[in-house]
Amino acid sequence: MEQSKMPSRLRKEVMESGDCTRCGLCVGLCPYIKTQHEHIAFIHDCSRVDGNCYRVCPRTQTNWVDLDRQVFGTERTDHGLGNYLEILYARSLNKEITRAGQYGGVVSTLAAYMVESGQSQGAVLTRGEDNGPPTPYLARNREEVLACAGSNYSASPSLSILNEGVFGGLEDLTTVGRPCQILALRKMQGLTDPSQHNLSARKVNFMIGLFCFWTLETEFYSFLQTKTEGERILRLDIPQNYLVATTEKGDVQVPIDELRAFVRPTCLRCFDPTAEFADVSVGSTENDPEWNTLVIRSFKGQEIVNRVCTTGLLETKPYPEERLPLLLSAVYKKKKRVLEELNQGKGYAYLNLNSDYAKGIEEGGTGL
Ligand SMILES: Cc1cc2nc3c(=O)[nH]c(=O)nc-3n(C[C@H](O)[C@H](O)[C@H](O)COP(=O)(O)OP(=O)(O)OC[C@H]3O[C@@H](n4cnc5c(N)ncnc54)[C@H](O)[C@@H]3O)c2cc1C
């Protein structure tokens, strides 16, 4: 029998247990769920027996196999990276974007193209703030997309701004998100009950997913202030085993071990470090900061990337063969750890895999 999708279960199992990923998609679906900075909480009891807030949450029951069929029309053969058509290196050909972008500026190039060409009325992004947590941002033009370039390593609930835009009448929005955010959008797109309303994810016409192995608690920003002595932080990066905060007075390095206390526990239960359900996923290359790794997953993603390359805004080159085992090894390591944690009863058992998928993880990554 299907379990109830009660908002009170979302409150108890996800929010109060600390499992909330702060994707932000439930914010605005009803008047009872609000954000304060990066936190999401119920401000009032909800007695409904059924709610979309529960259904779309990336930490409530999620059937990975059904989602593959829903998004790509097929089950996967690659249990590490999921469904994809092509994996490439890519970078922007626009100097302004490469200067502003975290690495090759691929995400900003694609988002700016969608907005400037009129294919999307806006882009749901995350905008860094001086020395504090970033904020959700709905960019309506290229300048605004560029102002959001760069990585912020906390869990900004940026999908709340998608709801605001859609409920305010916008159509066709590009969305850039962490893997949990893309997962939430796909869960919402898959809802079939015709009486369901407020399905803002149906207005997303291009999903750009980010690689993400974990996010940090908001308190990380105060900690960083002590390291940078209050200097204005211009850029953050995590190139290897340390974080680099670039300030007007130079770079400050923080060893990764000092960040561990701020890693959000829910990220340790995340099964999807590469945004497997996005149209395209973008990450670093781990060895060349001028380029990005670009995973083209859907035919729509492929068509858009091809168009952007044809206009001369983006260039790609083959993904180096010797790098793939390194990427797969990191992904399988994470997925195996998550399955172990969940099997030991740590956290809410949200994942629903069939035996082929579970076996694929068990056997994957060996010999890499
Ligand atoms: C929390 C986090 C963890 C990451 N971990 C990894 C990792 O382990 N390995 C890896 O290869 N790559 C990781 N990335 C991705 C990487 O940092 C770059 O975002 C990616 O390579 C795209 O680079 P770019 O030059 O195209 O980005 P840009 O063109 O600079 O665009 C970056 C985009 O990221 C969005 N953004 C910034 N912060 C957030 C946030 N907190 N939540 C959602 N969106 C955000 C902005 O809106 C902007 O549109 C992570 C990103 C984030 C946000």
Side-chain angles (χ1 to χ4, degrees):
M1 203 181 72
E2 211 195 4
Q3 285 191 311
S4 76
K5 314 284 187 236
M6 289 162 83
S8 59
R9 289 187 64 199
L10 181 75
R11 182 174 191 167
K12 186 160 173 281
E13 290 164 7
V14 179
M15 292 182 184
E16 292 176 359
S17 73
D19 248 357
C20 173
T21 68
R22 300 181 179 163
C23 74
L25 191 56
C26 62
V27 179
L29 292 191
C30 87
Y32 294 161
I33 304 176
K34 299 279 181 209
T35 45
Q36 191 187 23
H37 303 299
E38 296 188 326
H39 296 259
I40 299 178
F42 275 88
I43 54 161
H44 196 283
D45 280 337
C46 176
S47 57
R48 285 183 57 141
V49 291
D50 196 339
N52 280 345
C53 59
Y54 187 92
R55 292 173 185 275
V56 305
C57 174
R59 285 294 183 269
T60 60
Q61 273 300 305
T62 304
N63 189 316
W64 229 250
V65 189
D66 285 353
L67 271 181
D68 264 343
R69 290 200 203 104
Q70 173 198 315
V71 178
F72 303 107
T74 178
E75 291 181 20
R76 65 187 54 194
T77 50
D78 185 324
H79 292 281
L81 295 179
N83 275 297
Y84 68 91
L85 301 168
E86 246 181 312
I87 177 164
L88 298 162
Y89 269 14
R91 69 175 173 187
S92 174
L93 286 172
N94 178 285
K95 285 215 165 53
E96 204 185 350
I97 294 187
T98 48
R99 259 197 310 273
Q102 184 70 14
Y103 301 119
V106 171
V107 170
S108 299
T109 304
L110 294 173
Y113 168 79
M114 291 301 285
V115 173
E116 286 290 287
S117 63
Q119 291 170 71
S120 292
Q121 288 187 342
V124 172
L125 303 176
T126 300
R127 185 172 173 154
E129 298 288 338
D130 282 357
N131 298 0
T135 49
Y137 197 87
L138 186 58
R140 306 293 290 270
N141 55 47
R142 185 175 181 279
E143 286 65 40
E144 291 179 355
V145 170
L146 275 185
C148 294
S151 298
N152 302 282
Y153 294 102
S154 60
S156 177
S158 50
L159 297 185
S160 57
I161 208 91
L162 168 73
N163 289 341
E164 258 182 68
V166 171
F167 302 154
L170 289 180
E171 304 267 344
D172 299 331
L173 293 162
T174 288
T175 300
V176 174
R178 304 182 302 278
C180 52
Q181 298 184 297
I182 301 296
L183 191 57
L185 292 173
R186 291 303 191 188
K187 286 181 81 171
M188 185 185 262
Q189 286 185 340
L191 295 180
T192 48
D193 181 346
S195 69
Q196 304 286 347
H197 59 288
N198 288 353
L199 300 184
S200 52
R202 298 238 169 114
K203 304 289 184 185
V204 175
N205 68 345
F206 187 38
M207 283 186 208
I208 305 173
L210 302 172
F211 286 15
C212 175
F213 282 69
W214 41 251
T215 60
L216 299 170
E217 295 287 4
T218 314
E219 290 71 20
F220 150 77
Y221 294 100
S222 318
F223 161 79
L224 196 56
Q225 286 293 291
T226 62
K227 296 283 179 183
T228 56
E229 296 173 348
E231 286 298 318
R232 187 164 164 246
I233 296 166
L234 306 173
R235 183 176 190 271
L236 293 175
D237 191 16
I238 308 183
Q240 289 290 331
N241 286 325
Y242 51 90
L243 173 137
V244 183
T246 303
T247 74
E248 276 155 352
K249 286 200 174 154
D251 285 354
V252 175
Q253 289 193 5
V254 183
I256 207 110
D257 282 342
E258 292 190 35
L259 297 184
R260 293 203 194 282
F262 298 99
V263 172
R264 302 203 63 236
T266 188
C267 299
L268 304 179
R269 292 190 276 281
C270 167
F271 189 67
D272 177 14
T274 65
E276 294 177 358
F277 301 106
D279 289 306
V280 300
S281 306
V282 187
S284 74
T285 64
E286 302 267 329
N287 71 340
D288 187 344
E290 291 187 5
W291 291 82
N292 285 109
T293 296
L294 171 63
V295 185
I296 300 179
R297 298 187 180 278
S298 69
F299 290 111
K300 179 194 270 184
Q302 188 167 53
E303 197 190 317
I304 291 171
V305 168
N306 285 346
R307 263 188 268 143
V308 179
C309 287
T310 309
T311 56
L313 296 169
L314 196 72
E315 70 172 323
T316 64
K317 64 180 182 180
Y319 191 83
E321 234 174 80
E322 70 280 7
R323 302 290 312 170
L324 197 54
L326 299 173
L327 175 61
L328 283 171
S329 165
V331 170
Y332 274 117
K333 218 188 262 174
K334 175 151 179 66
K335 288 189 169 196
K336 284 179 190 203
R337 239 181 356 238
V338 169
L339 286 188
E340 255 167 48
E341 287 239 329
L342 293 176
N343 287 340
Q344 286 168 14
K346 291 186 192 155
Y348 181 61
Y350 69 97
L351 260 183
N352 191 347
L353 306 171
N354 68 16
S355 54
D356 280 355
Y357 277 43
K359 197 160 155 241
I361 298 300
E362 238 169 71
E363 293 177 354
T366 46
L368 293 172

